[in-house]
Amino acid sequence: MGNVYNFLMAFSAAMGGLLFGYEIGVIGQVLAMDSTFGVYYGLTSLVDGKYVATDANTSRTGDITSLFLVGCLVGALAVSWMADVIGRKKSILVGGVLFTAGAVLQTFSNGFGMLIAGRIIGGAGIGILSMVAPLYIAETAPAHLRGRMVTVQQLMITIGIFVASCINAIIIKTVDGDTKWRLALGMQMVPGVVLFFLTFIMPESPRWLANRDQDAEALRTLAKLRSVSQDDPAVIAEHREIKESIEMERQIGTANWSELLKPGILNRTVYGFLNQMFQQWTGINYNMYYAPKLIERMGFNKDDADIPFTIANNFINLIGTFPGMYLIERSGRRKLFLWGALGMGISQLLTCLFANLSTNHGKGFSWAAIFAVYGFVLNFAATWGPVVWVYQSEIFPLRVRSKGTGFATMSNWGNNAIIGKVGPIMTANIEFYTYLVFGIIALTAGVYVYFFIPETMGKSLEDMDVVFGATPTTHHAAQKELEEAEVEATKAKA
Ligand code: BGC
């Protein structure tokens, strides 16, 4: 029972992930809808009862997808500063408000300019949330549950993607005219508003409070999160440990962006960036955005490709997250990274093989290719999907934490945008061999992890310096004291 409140707060912050996922799930389908959306924004025109792409189609479609991602990049950059100045909780609030405002603009848009404004503003909200929500969760969680709590964020992303595809399926089947796409976009407001209200019950991060010398509040929050009283020895020791690491960090000086390049930090900056880069280049979002097109190429009809395959894909992505949540605090981060890279690499290579065979050796291979795609998604969902976010939220010292995680998150959005842009070009030029490229990159990611990525499971945030070979910013005496206090507390309970 002790961690129920803490888990609830993690779920609240992770609503940010649900918005993130909902957006990933919704836009591809809105673009693919044979509805008045295309006509309204000059992407298609209706000729003899059929929707035909206009000359502006490619550039406008690219703008609708990529300008959103540009908004995300800007948001992720701004929040590194914002999360330090106004705090983690208020940044979540700002992210939720921007996302909702963007959704309102998109829903009621009266022209391309307004739509794009809505995309950029909504994107900024998502950029903010995708960085600050996992950071908030990591800072409020006890060390032994931190990984699992941060994975709640990934779970919410996958729920968002799944729910978006189900709601869209219903909208596609039941609604007509402009209302179809306006409703699909408008549904984004629902989780946005829910998140807005949840921020009123979320406490501020105790680590951020302690850093602002609001110590009484920090201790009170910590005690509330751990469901114990403020004079509980473990909580007092945990508070002292946080304080000591802050003091130590202050003595060394204040952080600016260039600090991410300093010895002892630079390796973490690079790992944060590369982990996100590899995560994107496993091809997960290529699958999210463009798999239906390739499934059609394998001989299935458009309706099957768009709705049931997408829903099945997103459902596997959702349930696959559970083994990841379980294993992250058992097998650790490194093993999940390694197994995942291997599993995803093999699946992508098999997809390439079967998809190629499917073109002249029959449906059996088409189905085999689809199962290989699902195998890939399952592997991703249980490993790199959650672990990358957990890892980046825990490796940086407090002083540079928001900048380090912000930089890594920008790598997520930047690489996502590149894949969004080059995905169709790859499909056009090398078709199913696109999977070969992603498969090779996934295997390379495994080699990179094997040689570089240290385990962080069970380490306190204050202890990461030791893991990454930097001068420790924490007193180990404090750590020892904390452990002793925890032992005492456990004995007392028993
Ligand atoms: C990734 C997203 C991806 C999602 C799929 C996340 O971890 O960062 O880009 O769409 O997982 O579940």
Side-chain angles (χ1 to χ4, degrees), residues 20-21 24-25 130 153-159 161 276 279-280 284-286 288-289 314 317-318 321 377 380-381 383-389 412-413 416:
F20 176 170
I24 288 185
S130 59
Q153 149 98 357
Q154 176 70 15
L155 181 67
M156 298 296 258
I157 295 178
T158 61
I159 292 177
I161 299 177
Q276 286 285 11
Q279 191 215 45
Q280 290 301 310
I284 183 65
N285 287 319
Y286 176 79
M288 295 288 169
Y289 305 144
N314 297 348
N317 188 36
L318 165 56
T321 311
V377 173
F380 175 89
T383 62
W384 282 70
V387 182
V388 166
W389 294 102
N412 177 284
W413 289 111
N416 189 346

Side-chain angles (χ1 to χ4, degrees), residues 341-402:
L342 191 65
M344 288 190 292
I346 293 173
S347 307
Q348 296 283 44
L349 298 186
L350 288 176
T351 306
C352 171
L353 177 70
F354 294 143
N356 275 308
L357 288 172
S358 75
T359 48
N360 43 26
H361 290 84
K363 266 274 169 67
F365 285 110
S366 307
W367 280 107
I370 289 184
F371 281 113
V373 168
Y374 290 163
F376 160 76
V377 173
L378 193 62
N379 268 288
F380 175 89
T383 62
W384 282 70
V387 182
V388 166
W389 294 102
V390 171
Y391 206 78
Q392 75 174 32
S393 68
E394 65 189 5
I395 57 178
F396 293 102
L398 181 65
R399 223 153 44 91
V400 292
R401 191 172 298 149
S402 59

Side-chain angles (χ1 to χ4, degrees), residues 29-39 44 46 49-52 172 175-177 180-181 302-303 306:
Q29 281 183 312
V30 166
L31 286 170
M33 276 179 190
D34 268 347
S35 73
T36 50
F37 180 82
V39 178
T44 50
L46 200 53
K50 285 200 159 178
Y51 293 97
V52 181
I172 289 171
V175 183
D176 280 319
K180 201 186 218 180
W181 57 266
K302 182 171 160 48
D303 280 353
D306 280 354

